[in-house]
Amino acid sequence: MKRLLSVLCITALLLGSITGCGKEEVTLEQPYDIYETTGSLGLGTTVSAGAQEYFSKDLCVADDVSLGTDTTDSQVAEGAGTFNLATNEIVYAKNIYERLYPASTTKILTAYIALKYCTDLSQTVTISENAANQASDSSVCGLHAGDVIRMDDLLYGMMLRSGNDAAIAIAESISGSVEEFAALMNKEAAALGATQSHFVNPNGLPDENHYTSVYDLYLIFRAALQNETFVQIISTTSYDVTYQAGDGTIEEHTWENTNQYLSGHAKSPDGFTVIGGKTGTTGAAGYCLVLYSMNEQSQPIISIVLKADGKSNLYLLMTEMLSGFAN
């Protein structure tokens, strides 16, 4: 018996060394633990051993970081990915796990959190000096301190007009401050499995500690799409808003969607119905787009381009990715 126990112990030690299950740290090229249980990530109830459901069960997963790039103009962007939600396949990939600046695609997570935590979208928000104080070259809705506006209007302004002022106002309304909201963003991102991300603001303005990846954006966007209100917002081409200004007068504006597929400035890929998405642009992040569409088989597709070198090249690559790999 002692001899048998010794053999078993040695075998266990050897297996631990081989599999990385011991104390020795093992570095993996794939930074996502696709074998985590849904319970441990806060995505569902804890499951027992023997009945374990894997975090990746309903997700697109792949070890490859380069798929299809040799037949597209992939050099125009730093990262890109196309995900078929019907088949759970990654059909196109370029640097999908690389940390990159998200610019205003950050607002997808901001909207996800607002829709999760705000129980009454008709509630009004009073715009603070902090929210209104945006740089002159910043993308804004034109809100001023003291303006009183509904939460749902802020969401449309943030997602269509890409208003950085609206994003700050939402964050302050949900958490009390930008800093507290950023902590909530990181908590929610981690719960979705977005382990290559870190956020410090709700709008995506450049910061060396504010980053994500193509794959993380897929995880976040996929979760947001489960909310019908979110889909309704991102699919809206223009939105008429009326709210009370700080001086008591009534402000009226029309916010147009910055997605050029929806605005008609870019031709949608043949055979695809573009539903909506989120654009983003800064000097550090380049031109970015997260897109939700349906192919001819009515299969839902998420496609993402980060850090494209120009707006026309952004839509060129997005169209190539969809037409060539998602039909």
Side-chain angles (χ1 to χ4, degrees):
M1 180 61 70
K2 290 181 179 179
R3 184 179 296 112
L4 177 59
L5 288 173
S6 298
V7 171
L8 290 174
C9 288
I10 293 171
T11 302
L13 287 172
L14 287 173
L15 287 174
S17 174
I18 293 170
T19 62
C21 297
K23 295 182 179 180
E24 182 180 357
E25 294 185 1
V26 177
T27 301
L28 300 177
E29 290 185 5
Q30 163 62 280
Y32 298 87
D33 190 352
I34 62 175
Y35 302 107
E36 286 283 356
T37 65
T38 55
S40 67
L41 289 169
L43 299 175
T45 57
T46 302
V47 292
S48 60
Q52 187 182 49
E53 290 190 16
Y54 295 124
F55 172 58
S56 62
K57 182 172 68 72
D58 297 320
L59 297 178
C60 304
V61 294
D63 291 326
D64 294 326
V65 293
S66 181
L67 292 170
T69 56
D70 56 338
T71 59
T72 62
D73 291 290
S74 60
Q75 73 280 358
V76 303
E78 184 68 25
T82 305
F83 308 83
N84 188 317
L85 303 188
T87 62
N88 292 335
E89 292 179 293
I90 299 175
V91 295
Y92 183 91
K94 177 182 179 180
N95 298 331
I96 60 174
Y97 304 124
E98 180 180 339
R99 288 182 178 179
L100 295 168
Y101 293 128
S104 286
T105 63
T106 298
K107 292 165 183 167
I108 294 170
L109 180 57
T110 301
Y112 169 80
I113 293 173
L115 291 169
K116 179 176 180 178
Y117 286 90
C118 183
T119 57
D120 181 12
L121 295 180
S122 67
Q123 72 178 51
T124 57
V125 176
T126 301
I127 304 302
S128 69
E129 290 280 359
N130 183 48
N133 186 24
Q134 301 297 309
S136 59
D137 60 346
S138 176
S139 175
V140 295
C141 294
L143 302 173
H144 298 89
D147 290 351
V148 179
I149 185 170
R150 287 167 48 126
M151 175 64 79
D152 53 0
D153 291 334
L154 285 173
L155 284 166
Y156 276 95
M158 179 179 71
M159 297 303 288
L160 271 65
R161 183 67 185 86
S162 202
N164 293 327
D165 46 2
I168 297 293
I170 290 170
E172 292 177 338
S173 177
I174 297 293
S175 298
S177 70
V178 168
E179 292 75 19
E180 287 298 318
F181 188 80
L184 182 58
M185 294 174 76
N186 290 316
K187 176 184 175 182
E188 292 293 333
L192 295 173
T195 61
Q196 290 295 97
S197 294
H198 188 265
F199 303 95
V200 299
N201 61 60
N203 49 29
L205 289 178
D207 189 289
E208 63 180 6
N209 293 315
H210 190 100
Y211 51 81
T212 189
S213 69
V214 169
Y215 192 78
D216 276 10
L217 275 178
Y218 150 71
L219 292 173
I220 295 166
F221 192 48
R222 176 184 176 274
L225 291 173
Q226 308 308 307
N227 188 296
E228 292 181 2
T229 301
F230 178 83
V231 177
Q232 177 183 330
I233 292 171
I234 65 170
S235 63
T236 301
T237 56
S238 66
Y239 184 76
D240 296 322
V241 61
T242 301
Y243 59 91
Q244 181 179 300
D247 60 4
T249 61
I250 300 301
E251 290 278 343
E252 295 182 350
H253 297 284
T254 298
W255 292 326
E256 305 289 342
N257 201 314
T258 57
N259 186 328
Q260 291 202 352
Y261 286 129
L262 293 184
S263 67
H265 291 93
K267 182 180 180 297
S268 296
D270 292 337
F272 284 84
T273 300
V274 173
I275 297 171
K278 186 69 194 78
T279 60
T281 309
T282 66
Y287 292 82
C288 308
L289 177 61
V290 179
L291 195 69
Y292 180 47
S293 60
M294 292 281 180
N295 65 15
E296 288 183 315
Q297 289 74 46
S298 296
Q299 294 174 322
I301 308 294
I302 290 176
S303 49
I304 300 169
V305 173
L306 295 183
K307 203 172 184 180
D309 58 13
K311 187 175 292 186
S312 60
N313 280 339
L314 168 68
Y315 287 93
L316 167 67
L317 179 57
M318 184 67 78
T319 296
E320 289 180 340
M321 289 161 49
L322 289 171
S323 298
F325 300 92
N327 264 316

